[in-house]
């Protein structure tokens, strides 16, 4: 989509490095991205926008040529358009919207683990004898394996990065990954995830959320019920061995980890495909699953487990002023694609308002 270039140019304008304009796989870094987001927020405020923290959307109903909104702190707001760019983990908001009449269907997503290897091991596997050359950046990888109608693949690979906590509910453990701009950490990490769909978790609109929540609470308990994450040597998991001590690779998950049998977390089909992928990827990059590589669970927030159905005008089906967009609506799967979807929603709103005013803005 040509709008992708616009998104990258805007991120650059607000403080992202120039390199994202030319890199095939643009990378900003979490440390720099925080400043970029703050700069965008300040621009919105300077243009007359208002940013409200520490409150949540509770109700939304179309009324009087627009939308009436109620928030968790008791505010009532009236707007000509409500854009629902809520991200893929706003479960409480999704449940409230579903109860207010938005049409939702379950959507396939993926779940699995984070794997960590020494970055030097990945450099050697990908660069060969050139590994360690000062002109080379920390090596990346992207692997996938498909069998029958299901796939297992690496996702969100973070060279020189760390595994981070991403839970949004009490008594749940969720892992994700990040890299800072220099990508100079000791470990590489990525998600290794298996595709799942309604046949696995149910055809109800919120059944995917229930499936995620069950895995996350099981991980919480397996980690000791104190927000440590369960982890295991990848090779032990592949071979079905009793989990042994972690040594060569130090897990970076900040709240800490506990060695546990990750095979007890997942349905049999997810375990089967995780083992298939970990074994296959080891054959493509020596040390991917061996040499002390560690897996940590669970990774469940790869994309939204629901889709908010919408019209060609980007409005929710049956609605005229509510615009679900981005990852939370189930129509995007990353920063740039979500931004592009948001731009499409904005253009649709502009067109509608222009039409209402006889073509004059």
């Amino acid at each position: 989509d040509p709008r992708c270039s616009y998104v990258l140019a805007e991120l650059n304008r607000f403080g992202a490095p120039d390199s994202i304009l030319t890199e095939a796989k643009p990378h900003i870094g979490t440390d720099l991205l925080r400043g970029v987001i703050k700069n965008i927020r300040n621009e919105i405020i300077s243009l007359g926008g208002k940013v409200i923290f520490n409150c949540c959307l509770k109700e939304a109903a179309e009324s009087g040529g627009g939308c009436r909104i109620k928030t968790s702190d008791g505010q009532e707001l009236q707007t000509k358009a409500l854009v629902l760019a809520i991200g893929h983990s706003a479960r409480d908001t999704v449940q409230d919207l579903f109860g207010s009449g938005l049409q939702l269907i379950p959507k396939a997503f993926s779940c699995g683990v984070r794997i960590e290897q020494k970055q030097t091991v990945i450099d050697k596997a990908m660069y060969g004898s050139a590994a360690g050359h000062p002109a080379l950046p920390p090596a990346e990888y992207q692997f996938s394996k498909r069998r029958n109608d299901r796939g297992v693949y690496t996702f969100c690979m973070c060279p020189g990065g760390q595994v981070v906590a991403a839970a949004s509910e009490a008594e749940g453990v969720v892992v994700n990954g990040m890299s800072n701009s220099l990508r100079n950490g000791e470990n590489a990490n990525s998600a290794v995830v298996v595709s799942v769909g309604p046949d696995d978790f149910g055809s109800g609109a919120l059944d995917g959320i229930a499936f995620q929540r069950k895995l996350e609470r099981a991980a919480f308990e397996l980690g000791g019920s104190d927000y440590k994450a369960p982890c295991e040597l990848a090779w032990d998991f592949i071979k079905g061995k009793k989990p042994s001590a972690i040594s060569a690779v130090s897990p970076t998950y900040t709240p800490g980890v506990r060695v546990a049998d990750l095979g007890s977390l997942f349905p049999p089909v997810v375990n089967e495909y995780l083992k298939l992928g970990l074994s296959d990827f080891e054959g493509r990059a020596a040390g991917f699953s061996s040499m002390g590589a560690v897996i940590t669970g669970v990774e469940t927030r790869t994309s939204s487990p629901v889709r908010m159905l919408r019209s060609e005008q980007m409005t929710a089906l049956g609605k005229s002023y509510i615009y679900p967009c981005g990852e939370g609506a189930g129509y995007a799967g990353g920063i740039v694609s979500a931004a592009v979807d948001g731009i499409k929603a904005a253009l649709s709103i502009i067109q509608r308002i222009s039409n209402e005013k006889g073509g004059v803005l």
Side-chain angles (χ1 to χ4, degrees), residues 171-220:
E171 298 186 353
V173 165
V174 184
V175 295
N176 203 335
M178 57 157 274
S179 294
N180 285 326
S181 55
L182 295 179
R183 293 175 157 178
N184 58 356
E186 186 175 286
N187 291 355
N189 78 77
S190 75
V192 180
V193 289
V194 177
S195 55
V196 292
D199 288 344
D200 300 299
F201 52 73
S203 57
L206 304 181
D207 284 353
I209 290 177
F211 181 81
Q212 288 177 325
R213 185 175 282 139
K214 181 179 179 181
L215 289 176
E216 293 162 13
R217 290 183 174 171
F220 173 77

Side-chain angles (χ1 to χ4, degrees), residues 84-90 94 107 155 301-308 310 324-339 341-342:
L84 294 171
I86 59 176
H88 64 35
S89 295
V94 170
K107 185 184 76 64
F155 172 78
R301 310 293 181 89
T302 52
S303 66
S304 175
V306 301
R307 175 165 284 132
M308 300 180 182
R310 65 189 189 190
C325 72
E327 292 198 67
Y331 291 94
I335 293 173
V336 175
S337 61
D341 204 54

Side-chain angles (χ1 to χ4, degrees), residues 25-81:
K25 298 174 71 175
H27 172 70
I28 297 175
T30 303
D31 51 337
L32 299 184
L33 188 60
R34 287 194 290 266
V36 172
I37 297 303
K38 183 176 180 180
N39 292 339
I40 292 173
R41 182 172 75 244
N42 288 337
E43 175 82 349
I44 291 170
I45 294 170
S46 74
L47 293 170
K50 183 179 180 181
V51 179
I52 306 170
F53 291 101
N54 299 317
C55 82
C56 186
L57 174 70
K58 298 303 293 181
E59 295 181 28
E62 295 195 332
S63 171
C67 202
R68 186 180 70 255
I69 303 165
K70 292 184 179 180
T71 65
S72 58
D73 60 354
Q75 296 185 70
E76 292 195 19
L77 307 171
Q78 184 74 25
T79 179
K80 292 183 178 180

Side-chain angles (χ1 to χ4, degrees), residues 76-353:
E76 292 195 19
L77 307 171
Q78 184 74 25
T79 179
K80 292 183 178 180
L82 171 62
V83 178
L84 294 171
I86 59 176
H88 64 35
S89 295
R91 292 171 175 168
D92 50 353
T93 306
V94 170
Q95 290 170 325
D96 290 340
L97 293 169
F98 182 60
S100 67
L102 257 68
Q103 296 185 44
L104 274 61
I105 60 172
K107 185 184 76 64
F109 61 100
S110 299
C111 64
V113 296
R114 275 272 151 184
I115 188 165
E116 290 187 87
Q117 312 95 349
K118 290 281 191 183
Q119 183 64 52
T120 52
V121 169
I122 297 302
D123 291 346
K124 179 66 175 177
M126 305 308 290
Y127 291 144
S129 61
H133 193 285
L136 291 172
E140 300 180 55
Y141 56 74
Q142 185 174 353
F143 300 131
S144 65
K145 176 74 173 178
R146 192 166 188 84
R147 189 168 72 186
N148 301 323
D149 59 350
R150 195 185 301 268
V152 54
Y153 59 97
T154 63
F155 172 78
C156 184
M157 196 268 157
C158 302
Q162 64 192 79
V163 176
V164 296
S168 58
E169 294 179 338
E171 298 186 353
V173 165
V174 184
V175 295
N176 203 335
M178 57 157 274
S179 294
N180 285 326
S181 55
L182 295 179
R183 293 175 157 178
N184 58 356
E186 186 175 286
N187 291 355
N189 78 77
S190 75
V192 180
V193 289
V194 177
S195 55
V196 292
D199 288 344
D200 300 299
F201 52 73
S203 57
L206 304 181
D207 284 353
I209 290 177
F211 181 81
Q212 288 177 325
R213 185 175 282 139
K214 181 179 179 181
L215 289 176
E216 293 162 13
R217 290 183 174 171
F220 173 77
E221 293 176 4
L222 193 62
S225 299
D226 59 359
Y227 295 97
K228 289 185 170 64
C231 76
E232 185 176 8
L233 291 176
W235 205 250
D236 286 351
F237 177 82
I238 293 170
K239 298 301 182 182
K241 295 172 56 179
K242 182 179 178 180
S244 51
I246 307 298
S247 57
V249 176
S250 298
T252 57
Y253 181 80
T254 304
V257 297
R258 277 199 173 90
V259 175
D261 175 15
L262 287 175
S264 65
L265 281 177
F266 299 105
V269 69
V270 174
N271 279 330
E272 174 190 348
Y273 275 78
L274 284 175
K275 291 178 180 180
L276 173 69
L278 291 168
S279 299
D280 182 81
F281 306 156
E282 171 68 22
R284 303 193 215 180
F288 182 94
S289 302
S290 60
M291 302 187 193
V294 176
I295 55 174
T296 308
V298 290
E299 174 106 10
T300 52
R301 310 293 181 89
T302 52
S303 66
S304 175
V306 301
R307 175 165 284 132
M308 300 180 182
L309 299 180
R310 65 189 189 190
S311 69
E312 292 183 2
Q313 289 73 42
M314 304 282 289
T315 55
L317 283 188
K319 307 293 182 181
S320 300
Y321 307 104
I322 298 178
Y323 296 79
C325 72
E327 292 198 67
Y331 291 94
I335 293 173
V336 175
S337 61
V340 168
D341 204 54
I343 292 167
K344 290 178 179 178
L347 292 172
S348 180
I349 293 168
I350 291 169
Q351 185 63 58
R352 176 175 64 79
I353 294 174

